Amino acid sequence: MRTTLAHEAVHARRGLCPRWLIPREELAVHTQAASALIPIGRLGEALAGSLDPRVVAAELDVTPDFVDARLHGLDPVEYAALWDRIAHHRLAPDS
């Protein structure tokens, strides 16, 4: 419900678009709504605990597709912050 409301609120702010732009508009709206609902700090904390999008979504109280949209909509600064935050997932275990 929360994700649907956020999605529709972005639609309301953006207004109508030409019919031929609807697929692109839906993608842009979904990305903006995900960005509005998922602050980068909370996303980083959730990803620090798990890289499973279902676990992250449950932690953030959104749907997995919103997590995916948020990740695909990262700007370079956000990407770098998350890359650093999840470094421990990339480290090889000590032998």
Side-chain angles (χ1 to χ4, degrees):
M1 177 91 150
R2 195 170 90 95
T3 56
T4 301
L5 290 173
H7 184 94
E8 295 307 319
V10 173
H11 269 301
R13 278 195 307 272
R14 291 175 64 96
L16 297 174
C17 75
R19 176 170 260 202
W20 58 273
L21 272 178
I22 289 176
R24 181 188 290 175
E25 179 72 2
E26 282 299 320
L27 181 60
V29 165
H30 200 61
T31 300
Q32 284 183 9
S35 183
L37 279 182
I38 305 171
I40 194 66
R42 289 203 57 221
L43 179 59
E45 287 303 311
L47 288 169
S50 175
L51 296 178
D52 185 326
R54 295 166 299 181
V55 173
V56 173
E59 171 119 3
L60 298 172
D61 194 28
V62 296
T63 58
D65 66 304
F66 257 67
V67 173
D68 188 52
R70 182 64 172 108
L71 291 171
H72 282 91
L74 293 174
D75 65 35
V77 172
E78 292 173 328
Y79 183 88
L82 288 183
W83 185 257
D84 290 344
R85 185 64 184 97
I86 63 170
H88 64 281
H89 289 298
R90 295 187 303 277
L91 299 175
D94 293 323
S95 299

